[in-house]
Amino acid sequence: RIQYFASKQALDIEHMGEKVVEQLVERGLVTQPSDIYLLTEQDLARLDGFKEKSIQNLLDSIEASKKCPFSRFIMALGIKYVGTETADLLASHAKDLEHLMHLKEEDLLAIEGIGEKTANAISDYFQDRSHLEEIRLLLSHGVSPQFVKKKTISNHLFSGRTFVGKCALSDFT
């Protein structure tokens, strides 16, 4: 859960890969995502391979992650069935965390692209007191999800069109 929270598709905390997360958890420094924002230089100095430069790099990355796009924050929460596209839909619809947390299941179902299973999972997530407490801790530690308005251009030559390209499997190696 902590590794996913810090991953590229979520809050993108650079220098916090699998091995670092393992050490943080094994040493009892991090038990939930909000603990990441309490880490100090002294804590990180206890990790294998961490010297002054790597400590500062990780602390800088943690600090930078506090101002994250709202959709990435939604992804970082790890809500079942919520992937990148659904997180984008939720961020565009709700615009802020308070509104998102109070959406009813029928409100979620009204969002094109969100089905019953996903709406139920989102609704259940925000009814769980432990999840709400974790969100409160994240916010109190300075995490501030930012709504990023996506720019769409209408009346464009390519508006409403889908393009499909052809590629070979060797293009991905």
Side-chain angles (χ1 to χ4, degrees):
R1 189 176 111 193
I2 294 162
Q3 188 175 337
Y4 181 77
F5 181 87
S7 71
K8 193 160 203 66
Q9 69 264 28
L11 287 199
D12 194 16
I13 303 175
E14 290 184 48
H15 314 290
M16 189 175 269
E18 183 179 347
K19 300 278 188 223
V20 173
V21 171
E22 280 177 16
Q23 287 189 68
L24 290 169
V25 171
E26 285 171 2
R27 292 188 166 108
L29 296 170
V30 175
T31 58
Q32 58 191 20
S34 58
D35 293 340
I36 292 168
Y37 298 97
L38 299 175
L39 292 170
T40 65
E41 282 184 48
Q42 293 77 19
D43 293 332
L44 298 178
R46 295 171 44 196
L47 303 181
D48 297 337
F50 267 72
K51 302 289 182 237
E52 192 174 320
K53 180 78 172 162
S54 50
I55 291 169
Q56 195 55 56
N57 285 341
L58 181 51
L59 289 173
D60 289 347
S61 293
I62 290 169
E63 187 62 32
S65 75
K66 289 180 177 181
K67 297 277 186 247
C68 57
F70 185 35
S71 61
R72 284 186 174 238
F73 181 80
I74 294 168
M75 281 289 295
L77 295 175
I79 303 169
K80 193 172 186 177
Y81 308 121
V82 174
T84 308
E85 284 184 37
T86 304
D88 286 342
L89 287 172
L90 290 169
S92 293
H93 181 80
K95 308 235 185 324
D96 66 55
L97 186 56
E98 195 64 34
H99 186 222
L100 175 63
M101 289 170 43
H102 291 96
L103 288 175
K104 305 266 185 266
E105 201 167 326
E106 54 270 13
D107 299 327
L108 293 163
L109 286 168
I111 302 170
E112 188 175 334
I114 295 182
E116 193 172 323
K117 198 165 57 169
T118 304
N120 186 273
I122 296 165
S123 180
D124 287 350
Y125 184 90
F126 289 113
Q127 289 176 24
D128 185 316
R129 288 187 190 276
S130 66
H131 293 148
L132 297 178
E133 177 60 16
E134 179 62 10
I135 290 169
R136 187 194 67 72
L137 286 169
L138 287 165
L139 298 176
S140 73
H141 296 326
V143 177
S144 176
Q146 309 291 305
F147 176 69
V148 178
K149 186 175 181 181
K150 292 194 176 188
K151 188 175 184 180
T152 56
I153 301 171
S154 57
N155 298 329
H156 186 273
L157 176 64
F158 299 116
S159 293
R161 297 181 186 229
T162 302
F163 294 88
V164 179
K166 183 177 178 183
C167 63
L169 185 57
S170 62
D171 293 343
F172 296 102
T173 56

